[in-house]
Coordinates of all heavy atoms in Angstrom, one line a residue:
M1 N 11.0 -33.4 20.1 CA 11.2 -32.9 18.7 C 12.6 -32.3 18.6 O 13.0 -31.6 19.4 CB 10.1 -31.8 18.4 CG 8.8 -32.4 18.2 SD 7.4 -31.3 17.8 CE 7.9 -30.5 16.3
D2 N 13.2 -32.6 17.5 CA 14.5 -32.1 17.1 C 14.4 -30.6 16.7 O 13.4 -30.2 16.1 CB 15.0 -33.0 16.0 CG 16.5 -32.7 15.7 OD1 17.2 -32.3 16.7 OD2 16.9 -32.8 14.5
I3 N 15.4 -29.9 17.0 CA 15.4 -28.4 16.7 C 15.4 -28.2 15.1 O 14.7 -27.3 14.6 CB 16.6 -27.7 17.3 CG1 16.6 -26.2 17.1 CG2 17.9 -28.2 16.7 CD1 15.5 -25.6 18.0
N4 N 16.0 -29.2 14.4 CA 16.0 -29.0 12.9 C 14.6 -29.3 12.4 O 14.2 -28.6 11.4 CB 17.0 -30.0 12.3 CG 18.5 -29.6 12.6 OD1 18.7 -28.4 12.6 ND2 19.3 -30.6 12.8
L5 N 13.8 -30.1 13.0 CA 12.5 -30.4 12.5 C 11.6 -29.1 12.7 O 10.8 -28.7 11.9 CB 11.8 -31.6 13.3 CG 10.4 -31.9 12.9 CD1 10.2 -32.2 11.5 CD2 9.9 -32.9 13.8
I6 N 11.8 -28.5 13.9 CA 11.1 -27.2 14.2 C 11.5 -26.1 13.2 O 10.6 -25.4 12.6 CB 11.4 -26.7 15.6 CG1 10.8 -27.8 16.6 CG2 10.8 -25.4 15.9 CD1 11.2 -27.6 18.0
R7 N 12.8 -26.0 12.9 CA 13.2 -25.0 11.9 C 12.7 -25.3 10.5 O 12.3 -24.4 9.8 CB 14.7 -25.0 11.8 CG 15.4 -24.4 13.1 CD 16.9 -24.5 13.0 NE 17.5 -23.9 14.2 CZ 18.7 -24.1 14.5 NH1 19.6 -24.8 13.7 NH2 19.2 -23.5 15.6
S8 N 12.6 -26.6 10.1 CA 12.0 -26.9 8.8 C 10.6 -26.6 8.8 O 10.1 -26.1 7.7 CB 12.3 -28.4 8.6 OG 13.6 -28.8 8.6
L9 N 9.8 -26.9 9.9 CA 8.4 -26.6 9.8 C 8.1 -25.0 9.8 O 7.2 -24.6 9.1 CB 7.7 -27.1 11.1 CG 7.7 -28.7 11.1 CD1 7.1 -29.1 12.5 CD2 6.8 -29.2 9.9
I10 N 9.0 -24.3 10.5 CA 8.8 -22.8 10.4 C 9.2 -22.3 9.1 O 8.4 -21.5 8.5 CB 9.7 -22.1 11.5 CG1 9.2 -22.5 12.9 CG2 9.8 -20.7 11.3 CD1 10.0 -22.0 14.0
T11 N 10.2 -22.9 8.4 CA 10.5 -22.5 7.1 C 9.4 -22.8 6.1 O 9.1 -22.0 5.2 CB 11.8 -23.1 6.6 OG1 12.9 -22.8 7.5 CG2 12.2 -22.7 5.2
L12 N 8.8 -24.0 6.2 CA 7.7 -24.3 5.4 C 6.5 -23.5 5.6 O 5.9 -23.0 4.6 CB 7.3 -25.8 5.6 CG 6.2 -26.4 4.8 CD1 6.6 -26.4 3.3 CD2 5.8 -27.8 5.3
A13 N 6.2 -23.1 6.8 CA 5.1 -22.3 7.1 C 5.2 -20.9 6.6 O 4.3 -20.3 6.0 CB 4.8 -22.2 8.6
L14 N 6.5 -20.3 6.7 CA 6.8 -19.0 6.1 C 6.7 -19.0 4.6 O 6.3 -18.1 4.0 CB 8.1 -18.5 6.6 CG 8.2 -18.1 8.1 CD1 9.6 -17.8 8.5 CD2 7.2 -17.0 8.3
F15 N 7.2 -20.2 4.0 CA 7.1 -20.2 2.5 C 5.6 -20.3 2.0 O 5.3 -19.6 1.1 CB 7.8 -21.5 2.0 CG 7.9 -21.6 0.6 CD1 8.6 -20.8 -0.3 CD2 7.1 -22.7 0.0 CE1 8.5 -21.0 -1.7 CE2 7.0 -22.8 -1.4 CZ 7.8 -22.0 -2.2
I16 N 4.8 -21.0 2.7 CA 3.4 -21.0 2.4 C 2.8 -19.7 2.6 O 2.0 -19.3 1.7 CB 2.7 -22.2 3.2 CG1 3.2 -23.6 2.7 CG2 1.2 -22.0 3.0 CD1 2.7 -24.7 3.6
L17 N 3.1 -19.0 3.6 CA 2.6 -17.7 3.9 C 3.0 -16.7 2.8 O 2.2 -15.9 2.3 CB 3.1 -17.2 5.2 CG 2.6 -15.8 5.7 CD1 1.0 -15.8 5.8 CD2 3.3 -15.4 6.9
F18 N 4.2 -16.8 2.3 CA 4.8 -16.0 1.2 C 4.0 -16.3 0.0 O 3.6 -15.3 -0.7 CB 6.2 -16.3 1.0 CG 6.8 -15.6 -0.1 CD1 7.1 -14.2 -0.1 CD2 7.2 -16.2 -1.3 CE1 7.6 -13.6 -1.2 CE2 7.7 -15.6 -2.4 CZ 7.9 -14.2 -2.3
I19 N 3.7 -17.5 -0.4 CA 3.0 -17.9 -1.6 C 1.5 -17.3 -1.5 O 1.0 -16.7 -2.5 CB 2.9 -19.3 -1.8 CG1 4.3 -19.9 -2.0 CG2 2.0 -19.8 -3.0 CD1 5.0 -19.4 -3.3
V20 N 0.9 -17.4 -0.3 CA -0.4 -16.9 -0.2 C -0.5 -15.3 -0.3 O -1.3 -14.8 -1.0 CB -1.0 -17.3 1.2 CG1 -2.3 -16.5 1.5 CG2 -1.3 -18.8 1.2
L21 N 0.5 -14.7 0.2 CA 0.7 -13.2 0.1 C 0.9 -12.8 -1.4 O 0.1 -11.9 -1.8 CB 1.8 -12.7 0.9 CG 2.1 -11.3 0.9 CD1 0.9 -10.5 1.7 CD2 3.4 -10.9 1.5
I22 N 1.7 -13.5 -2.1 CA 1.9 -13.2 -3.5 C 0.6 -13.4 -4.3 O 0.2 -12.6 -5.1 CB 3.0 -14.0 -4.1 CG1 4.4 -13.7 -3.4 CG2 3.1 -13.9 -5.6 CD1 4.8 -12.2 -3.7
Y23 N -0.1 -14.4 -4.0 CA -1.4 -14.7 -4.7 C -2.4 -13.6 -4.4 O -3.1 -13.2 -5.3 CB -1.9 -16.1 -4.3 CG -3.3 -16.3 -4.8 CD1 -3.5 -16.7 -6.2 CD2 -4.4 -16.2 -4.0 CE1 -4.7 -17.0 -6.7 CE2 -5.7 -16.4 -4.6 CZ -5.8 -16.8 -5.9 OH -7.1 -17.0 -6.4
Q24 N -2.5 -13.2 -3.1 CA -3.4 -12.1 -2.8 C -3.1 -10.8 -3.4 O -3.9 -10.1 -3.9 CB -3.4 -12.0 -1.2 CG -4.4 -10.9 -0.8 CD -4.4 -10.7 0.6 OE1 -3.6 -11.2 1.4 NE2 -5.3 -9.9 1.1
V25 N -1.8 -10.5 -3.5 CA -1.4 -9.2 -4.1 C -1.7 -9.2 -5.6 O -2.1 -8.1 -6.2 CB 0.1 -8.9 -3.8 CG1 0.6 -7.7 -4.6 CG2 0.3 -8.6 -2.3
Y26 N -1.4 -10.2 -6.3 CA -1.6 -10.2 -7.7 C -2.9 -10.8 -8.2 O -3.1 -10.9 -9.4 CB -0.4 -11.1 -8.4 CG 0.9 -10.3 -8.3 CD1 1.9 -10.7 -7.4 CD2 1.1 -9.2 -9.1 CE1 3.1 -10.0 -7.3 CE2 2.3 -8.5 -9.1 CZ 3.3 -8.9 -8.2 OH 4.5 -8.2 -8.1
S27 N -3.8 -11.0 -7.3 CA -5.1 -11.5 -7.8 C -5.9 -10.3 -8.4 O -5.8 -9.2 -8.0 CB -5.9 -12.1 -6.6 OG -6.3 -11.2 -5.7
K28 N -6.7 -10.7 -9.4 CA -7.4 -9.6 -10.1 C -8.5 -8.9 -9.3 O -8.8 -7.8 -9.5 CB -8.1 -10.2 -11.4 CG -7.0 -10.6 -12.4 CD -7.7 -11.0 -13.7 CE -6.6 -11.5 -14.6 NZ -6.7 -10.9 -15.9
K29 N -9.1 -9.6 -8.3 CA -10.1 -9.0 -7.5 C -9.6 -7.9 -6.5 O -10.3 -7.0 -6.1 CB -10.9 -10.0 -6.7 CG -10.1 -10.7 -5.7 CD -11.0 -11.7 -4.9 CE -10.2 -12.5 -3.9 NZ -11.0 -13.4 -3.2
N30 N -8.3 -7.9 -6.3 CA -7.7 -6.9 -5.4 C -7.0 -5.8 -6.2 O -6.3 -4.9 -5.6 CB -6.7 -7.5 -4.4 CG -7.4 -8.3 -3.4 OD1 -8.5 -8.1 -3.0 ND2 -6.8 -9.4 -2.9
K31 N -7.0 -5.9 -7.5 CA -6.2 -4.9 -8.3 C -6.6 -3.5 -8.1 O -5.8 -2.6 -7.9 CB -6.4 -5.3 -9.8 CG -5.6 -4.5 -10.7 CD -5.7 -4.9 -12.2 CE -4.8 -4.0 -13.0 NZ -4.9 -4.4 -14.4
R32 N -7.9 -3.3 -8.0 CA -8.4 -1.9 -7.9 C -8.0 -1.3 -6.5 O -7.6 -0.1 -6.5 CB -10.0 -2.0 -8.0 CG -10.7 -0.7 -7.6 CD -10.7 0.2 -8.9 NE -11.5 1.3 -8.5 CZ -11.5 2.4 -9.2 NH1 -10.8 2.4 -10.4 NH2 -12.2 3.5 -8.9
R33 N -8.0 -2.1 -5.5 CA -7.6 -1.6 -4.2 C -6.1 -1.2 -4.1 O -5.8 -0.1 -3.6 CB -7.9 -2.7 -3.1 CG -7.7 -2.2 -1.7 CD -8.1 -3.3 -0.7 NE -7.0 -4.3 -0.7 CZ -7.1 -5.3 0.3 NH1 -8.1 -5.4 1.1 NH2 -6.1 -6.2 0.2
Y34 N -5.3 -2.0 -4.7 CA -3.9 -1.7 -4.8 C -3.6 -0.5 -5.7 O -2.7 0.3 -5.4 CB -3.0 -2.9 -5.1 CG -3.0 -3.9 -4.0 CD1 -3.6 -5.2 -4.2 CD2 -2.4 -3.6 -2.7 CE1 -3.6 -6.1 -3.1 CE2 -2.3 -4.5 -1.7 CZ -2.9 -5.7 -1.9 OH -2.9 -6.6 -0.9
E35 N -4.3 -0.4 -6.8 CA -4.1 0.8 -7.6 C -4.5 2.1 -6.9 O -3.8 3.1 -7.0 CB -5.0 0.7 -8.9 CG -4.3 -0.3 -9.9 CD -5.2 -0.5 -11.1 OE1 -6.4 0.0 -11.2 OE2 -4.7 -1.1 -12.0
D36 N -5.6 2.0 -6.1 CA -6.1 3.2 -5.3 C -5.0 3.6 -4.3 O -4.7 4.7 -4.1 CB -7.4 2.9 -4.7 CG -8.5 2.9 -5.7 OD1 -8.4 3.4 -6.8 OD2 -9.6 2.3 -5.3
A37 N -4.4 2.6 -3.6 CA -3.4 2.8 -2.7 C -2.2 3.4 -3.3 O -1.5 4.3 -2.7 CB -3.1 1.5 -1.9
A38 N -1.9 2.9 -4.5 CA -0.6 3.4 -5.2 C -0.8 4.9 -5.6 O 0.2 5.7 -5.6 CB -0.4 2.6 -6.4
N39 N -2.0 5.3 -5.8 CA -2.3 6.7 -6.2 C -2.5 7.6 -5.1 O -2.8 8.9 -5.3 CB -3.4 6.7 -7.2 CG -3.1 6.1 -8.5 OD1 -1.9 6.2 -9.0 ND2 -4.0 5.4 -9.1
L40 N -2.6 7.2 -3.9 CA -2.8 8.1 -2.7 C -1.8 9.2 -2.6 O -2.1 10.3 -2.2 CB -2.8 7.3 -1.4 CG -4.1 6.5 -1.1 CD1 -4.0 5.7 0.1 CD2 -5.3 7.4 -1.0
V41 N -0.5 8.9 -3.0 CA 0.5 9.9 -2.9 C 0.2 11.0 -3.8 O 0.3 12.2 -3.4 CB 1.9 9.3 -3.3 CG1 3.0 10.3 -3.3 CG2 2.2 8.2 -2.3
F42 N -0.3 10.8 -5.0 CA -0.6 11.8 -6.0 C -1.8 12.6 -5.5 O -1.9 13.8 -5.8 CB -0.7 11.3 -7.4 CG 0.5 10.5 -7.8 CD1 0.4 9.2 -8.1 CD2 1.7 11.2 -8.0 CE1 1.6 8.5 -8.4 CE2 2.8 10.5 -8.4 CZ 2.7 9.2 -8.6
K43 N -2.8 11.9 -5.0 CA -4.0 12.6 -4.6 C -3.7 13.5 -3.5 O -4.2 14.6 -3.4 CB -5.1 11.5 -4.2 CG -6.4 12.1 -3.8 CD -7.3 11.0 -3.4 CE -8.7 11.5 -2.9 NZ -9.6 10.5 -2.4
D44 N -2.9 13.1 -2.5 CA -2.6 14.0 -1.4 C -1.9 15.2 -1.8 O -2.2 16.3 -1.4 CB -1.7 13.2 -0.4 CG -1.4 14.0 0.9 OD1 -2.3 14.6 1.3 OD2 -0.3 13.9 1.4
G45 N -1.0 15.1 -2.8 CA -0.3 16.2 -3.4 C -1.2 17.2 -4.1 O -1.1 18.5 -3.9
D46 N -2.2 16.7 -4.7 CA -3.2 17.6 -5.4 C -4.0 18.4 -4.4 O -4.3 19.6 -4.5 CB -4.2 16.8 -6.3 CG -3.4 16.3 -7.5 OD1 -2.4 16.8 -7.9 OD2 -4.0 15.3 -8.1
E47 N -4.4 17.7 -3.3 CA -5.2 18.3 -2.2 C -4.4 19.5 -1.6 O -4.8 20.6 -1.3 CB -5.7 17.4 -1.2 CG -6.8 16.4 -1.8 CD -7.2 15.4 -0.8 OE1 -6.6 15.3 0.4 OE2 -8.0 14.5 -1.1
R48 N -3.1 19.2 -1.3 CA -2.2 20.2 -0.7 C -2.0 21.4 -1.6 O -2.0 22.5 -1.2 CB -0.9 19.6 -0.3 CG -1.0 18.7 0.9 CD 0.4 18.2 1.3 NE 0.2 17.2 2.4 CZ 1.2 16.6 3.0 NH1 2.5 16.8 2.6 NH2 1.0 15.7 3.9
S49 N -1.8 21.1 -2.9 CA -1.7 22.2 -3.9 C -2.9 23.0 -3.9 O -2.8 24.3 -4.0 CB -1.4 21.6 -5.3 OG -0.2 20.9 -5.3
N50 N -4.1 22.5 -3.9 CA -5.3 23.2 -3.9 C -5.5 24.1 -2.6 O -5.8 25.2 -2.8 CB -6.6 22.3 -4.1 CG -6.6 21.6 -5.4 OD1 -6.0 22.1 -6.4 ND2 -7.3 20.5 -5.5
K51 N -5.1 23.6 -1.5 CA -5.2 24.3 -0.3 C -4.2 25.5 -0.3 O -4.5 26.6 0.1 CB -4.9 23.4 0.9 CG -6.0 22.5 1.2 CD -5.7 21.6 2.4 CE -6.8 20.7 2.8 NZ -6.5 19.8 3.9
L52 N -2.9 25.2 -0.8 CA -2.0 26.3 -0.9 C -2.4 27.4 -1.8 O -2.3 28.6 -1.6 CB -0.6 25.8 -1.3 CG 0.1 25.0 -0.3 CD1 1.4 24.4 -0.8 CD2 0.5 25.9 0.9
N53 N -3.0 27.0 -3.0 CA -3.5 28.0 -3.9 C -4.6 28.8 -3.4 O -4.7 30.0 -3.6 CB -3.9 27.3 -5.2 CG -2.8 26.7 -6.0 OD1 -1.6 27.2 -5.9 ND2 -3.0 25.8 -6.9
Q54 N -5.5 28.2 -2.6 CA -6.6 28.9 -2.0 C -6.1 29.9 -1.0 O -6.6 31.0 -0.9 CB -7.6 27.9 -1.4 CG -8.4 27.1 -2.4 CD -9.3 26.1 -1.7 OE1 -9.2 25.9 -0.5 NE2 -10.1 25.3 -2.5
A55 N -5.1 29.5 -0.2 CA -4.6 30.3 0.8 C -3.9 31.5 0.2 O -3.9 32.6 0.7 CB -3.6 29.5 1.7
E56 N -3.1 31.3 -0.9 CA -2.5 32.4 -1.6 C -3.5 33.3 -2.2 O -3.2 34.6 -2.2 CB -1.5 31.8 -2.7 CG -0.3 31.1 -2.2 CD 0.5 30.5 -3.3 OE1 0.1 30.6 -4.5 OE2 1.6 29.9 -3.0
S57 N -4.5 32.8 -2.7 CA -5.5 33.8 -3.3 C -6.2 34.6 -2.2 O -6.5 35.8 -2.4 CB -6.6 33.0 -4.1 OG -7.3 32.1 -3.3
K58 N -6.4 34.0 -1.0 CA -7.0 34.8 0.1 C -6.0 35.9 0.5 O -6.4 37.0 0.8 CB -7.3 33.9 1.3 CG -8.5 33.0 1.0 CD -8.8 32.2 2.2 CE -9.9 31.2 2.0 NZ -10.1 30.3 3.1
V59 N -4.7 35.6 0.5 CA -3.7 36.6 0.9 C -3.7 37.7 -0.1 O -3.6 39.0 0.2 CB -2.3 35.9 1.1 CG1 -1.2 37.0 1.2 CG2 -2.3 35.0 2.3
E60 N -3.8 37.3 -1.4 CA -3.7 38.4 -2.4 C -5.0 39.2 -2.5 O -5.0 40.4 -2.7 CB -3.6 37.7 -3.8 CG -2.3 37.1 -4.1 CD -2.1 36.3 -5.3 OE1 -3.2 36.2 -6.1 OE2 -1.1 35.7 -5.6
D61 N -6.1 38.6 -2.0 CA -7.4 39.3 -2.0 C -7.3 40.5 -0.9 O -8.0 41.5 -1.0 CB -8.6 38.4 -1.8 CG -8.9 37.6 -3.0 OD1 -8.4 37.9 -4.0 OD2 -9.5 36.5 -2.8
H62 N -6.6 40.2 0.2 CA -6.5 41.0 1.3 C -5.6 42.2 1.0 O -5.6 43.2 1.7 CB -6.2 40.3 2.6 CG -7.3 39.4 3.1 ND1 -8.3 39.9 3.8 CD2 -7.4 38.1 3.1 CE1 -9.1 38.9 4.2 NE2 -8.6 37.8 3.7
D63 N -4.8 42.1 0.0 CA -3.8 43.1 -0.2 C -4.4 44.3 -1.0 O -5.0 44.9 -1.3 CB -2.6 42.6 -1.0 CG -1.7 41.7 -0.2 OD1 -1.8 41.8 1.0 OD2 -1.0 40.9 -0.8

């Protein structure tokens, strides 16, 4: 086999993989999962804020 044929096959395989990945990401059945993943940053921030507020209120209660 020629090296150029191998390179062409690898390029074709990666292009097909890219198309499958794009289809999976933008399919409607996975929309909810990706929206949940996108909002994890904000959820984590809220939990940390709540823990900090609880810790501050405990410190104020002891004073």
